[in-house]
Amino acid sequence: MQFLLAFVVVAPLLGAAAALLPAPPGLKGKSPDQAVLRHGVTVTGVILLVTVALAAGFDHEHPSRMQATTDISWIKALDVRIHLGVDGISLPLLVLTALLTFLCALYSYFKMPQGPSPKAFVALLLVLEAGTLATFAVLDLVLFFLAFEMVLVPMYFLIARWGGGGRRAAAGKFILYTLLGSVVMLLGLLLIGIKAGTFDMVALATDNGRGLTTSVQVTAVLAIGLGLAVKTPMWPLHSWLPDAHTAAPTVGSVLLAGVLLKMGTYGFVRIALPIAPEGMHTLAPYLAAFAAAGIVYGSLACLALARPGAKGDLKRLIAYSSVGHMGFVLLGIATLTPTGVNGALFANIAHGLITGLLFFLVGALKDRYGTADLDTLAGATGAALYGRAPRLGALLAFAAVASLGLPGLAGFWGEMLALFAAFDPAEGLNRAAYLVFMALGGLGTLLTAAYLLMVVRRVCMGGPRPAGEPELADVQPYELAAWTPLVALTVLAGLWPAVLLGLTDPAVQQLLAGGTQ
């Protein structure tokens, strides 16, 4: 198990280095480009298989215990250690990351985004995977920061070199916002490590803030929270996200929404909640207020983009929907209750599956129509996907109703648990304020249903194909291969939520109790 987790973290970096080397003559296939794309599929596929083996070997009877741990001294002077481990909180995120990266590599093998050499594309994709997997596996604050920052450079170049219109400005905005947030976060992490005398996240969580004064905890949570909130993204620190998604290639948008946003909320759960509980208790109402504002704001922005004549970009609309959905995750965390934190972790996974599928589908629409402009897609009588490309239309409608939180699908449970937790927050929090936040969250669910159903009506329904208009290609086999796992897992998580909640709940209970249970 130790070897498997270490392999999952290190193998993408080795694969990235190998992608830049010339392909052996016998493996080139039709061209060197095809060989390096096949290399990307192979490496990410092996990492996915190893991650699944790690999940299969995980002791599900004790999900609150750190497993597959590695603890090696790295920088003795600072007591920084290469400390890896996985529990019920991080395991689902590791599997989600490995799955989405493999599906993106598979999709790119058949539909490579326009841009420079595929060698650099595959290498960047693998470095991005390495940074993300390491973020969910490391148990040292310094290593967490390094892994957290490691993903910025590959995502910047994926947007700037393989993106669409406005890609350089969008990539610049992405790197500027996230770097500035990370500088502040680093100060908070160093403050905790210096005051507590250790950077070990397990030891800090077990101590549960007893070695830190309240003022230190509040300062640390404020600094760390700002950096995490930018990556989440929390309103009003979200403005980099719509531009980045609009300009990014399809696989870039899938990984940005499906994986990178989860790094911010994971940091709140893994670091802020157990290490600085008094600081979190002080700032939780403000976090909940921003989360509730983000839920309503994201939904209203989507409604404005979805209305006829607004010239709204469908990718941009889904990006704004992420602001609302991640607001539910932050609201659940801000309740400081097991119910809320479990709901937040469930919503994290559900958002990764559903929004990843949505960005795949919008990318396919853009490939077919040459645009993601909603007015152009709707046209005079609607794109009429149900009649012209029924499988594509059905998948878009499925993803939309999953995203709006239809019971029986994955999007329902996390948001429902977050609202339940807001009804009864942790002791000492202002219940009247949280009832207001719950009401705003409920309003957000209604607005979410409104704009997603509007999108389905405008894009999927309509009149017959006008004479002379070329036929629209339906779902291709490679698209079906990339999207089917996301559909199946969305249904599985919706019908059998205990699979995920059974992993997270014991770990959350122990985390909130300071490792004493």
Side-chain angles (χ1 to χ4, degrees):
M1 290 286 285
Q2 287 177 307
F3 172 77
L4 292 181
L5 184 59
F7 178 86
V8 162
V9 173
V10 174
L13 290 176
L14 299 178
L20 298 175
L21 299 174
L27 298 178
K28 285 185 179 179
K30 295 179 181 177
S31 70
D33 287 352
Q34 185 192 48
V36 74
L37 290 171
R38 187 170 60 245
H39 170 79
V41 176
T42 303
V43 173
T44 56
V46 169
I47 293 167
L48 175 59
L49 290 175
V50 174
T51 308
V52 171
L54 182 68
F58 186 81
D59 183 1
H60 292 262
E61 297 297 321
H62 301 92
S64 61
R65 180 169 56 86
M66 282 295 172
Q67 302 180 34
T69 55
T70 298
D71 192 1
I72 304 171
S73 179
W74 182 34
I75 306 175
K76 289 186 178 180
L78 298 176
D79 194 28
V80 177
R81 309 184 67 81
I82 299 176
H83 192 181
L84 307 177
V86 63
D87 64 355
I89 293 172
S90 54
L91 181 63
L93 291 166
L94 285 171
V95 176
L96 177 68
T97 300
L99 173 65
L100 285 178
T101 310
F102 169 70
L103 296 180
C104 286
L106 180 64
Y107 188 85
S108 300
Y109 179 78
F110 295 96
K111 192 67 181 180
M112 171 71 193
Q114 292 184 348
S117 163
K119 275 193 173 187
F121 175 83
V122 171
L124 289 169
L125 194 68
L126 291 171
V127 171
L128 182 68
E129 181 179 31
T132 313
L133 289 169
T135 300
F136 299 136
V138 298
L139 298 173
D140 183 278
L141 290 179
V142 176
L143 282 185
F144 177 85
F145 176 78
L146 294 176
F148 196 86
E149 294 303 287
M150 185 177 170
V151 303
L152 301 185
V153 173
M155 182 53 73
Y156 169 83
F157 283 109
L158 285 175
I159 297 172
R161 303 298 300 276
W162 286 271
R167 59 184 182 270
R168 293 191 183 276
K173 200 172 184 179
F174 162 76
I175 200 78
L176 179 64
Y177 267 73
T178 49
L179 273 179
L180 288 176
S182 298
V183 169
V184 181
M185 184 178 76
L186 176 60
L187 296 177
L189 295 174
L190 291 175
L191 176 62
I192 287 178
I194 292 170
K195 290 294 185 180
T198 181
F199 290 101
D200 187 274
M201 291 160 64
V202 176
L204 288 166
T206 303
D207 190 58
N208 202 218
R210 285 182 284 272
L212 303 171
T213 65
T214 301
S215 59
V216 168
Q217 290 190 37
V218 171
T219 304
V221 169
L222 187 60
I224 295 169
L226 280 172
L228 298 174
V230 170
K231 186 67 73 71
T232 297
M234 180 186 78
W235 178 90
L237 304 174
H238 69 284
S239 59
W240 62 269
L241 184 71
D243 291 339
H245 271 307
T246 304
T250 297
V251 294
S253 291
V254 170
L255 292 175
L256 181 57
V259 177
L260 264 66
L261 303 190
K262 312 302 174 285
M263 294 165 63
T265 51
Y266 174 78
F268 276 108
V269 175
R270 179 64 74 196
I271 298 174
L273 275 177
I275 295 175
E278 292 180 28
M280 274 298 292
H281 194 279
T282 301
L283 296 174
Y286 302 98
L287 178 62
F290 283 118
I295 292 170
V296 176
Y297 171 84
S299 301
L300 290 175
C302 290
L303 271 176
L305 290 171
R307 63 183 175 83
K311 291 292 179 183
D313 187 284
L314 195 48
K315 287 187 73 177
R316 195 175 189 85
L317 184 147
I318 297 171
Y320 272 111
S321 78
S322 292
V323 176
H325 288 304
M326 297 310 289
F328 282 102
V329 177
L330 291 174
L331 179 60
I333 294 171
T335 65
L336 307 183
T337 63
T339 300
V341 177
N342 276 304
L345 293 171
F346 196 102
N348 253 349
I349 302 299
H351 179 266
L353 296 172
I354 297 167
T355 307
L357 178 60
L358 277 170
F359 276 116
F360 268 134
L361 292 166
V362 175
L365 275 176
K366 191 172 184 178
D367 290 337
R368 288 158 171 77
Y369 281 94
T371 181
D373 180 78
L374 193 52
D375 286 338
T376 304
L377 290 174
T381 60
L385 288 180
Y386 288 154
R388 302 181 196 182
R391 285 186 287 275
L392 185 59
L395 283 170
L396 181 60
F398 170 83
V401 297
S403 184
L404 64 82
L406 183 74
L409 297 177
F412 170 74
W413 294 104
E415 296 181 4
M416 182 199 70
L417 290 173
L419 292 177
F420 275 2
F423 182 78
D424 188 19
E427 186 178 349
L429 297 177
N430 189 328
R431 186 164 185 255
Y434 274 81
L435 289 176
V436 174
F437 303 148
M438 183 192 72
L440 291 174
L443 174 63
T445 62
L446 296 176
L447 297 175
T448 300
Y451 72 74
L452 285 170
L453 292 176
M454 191 182 300
V455 167
V456 171
R457 178 178 61 80
R458 297 190 66 198
V459 176
C460 295
M461 302 178 185
R465 176 168 59 93
E469 183 179 311
E471 221 173 296
L472 191 67
D474 209 341
V475 177
Q476 301 299 302
Y478 73 91
E479 294 172 329
L480 194 63
W483 303 342
T484 298
L486 301 179
V487 173
L489 289 172
T490 298
V491 175
L492 177 64
L495 295 178
W496 196 8
V499 172
L500 185 55
L501 293 174
L503 275 175
T504 62
D505 184 55
V508 167
Q509 296 279 359
Q510 178 165 303
L511 208 65
L512 292 177
T516 58
Q517 292 185 350

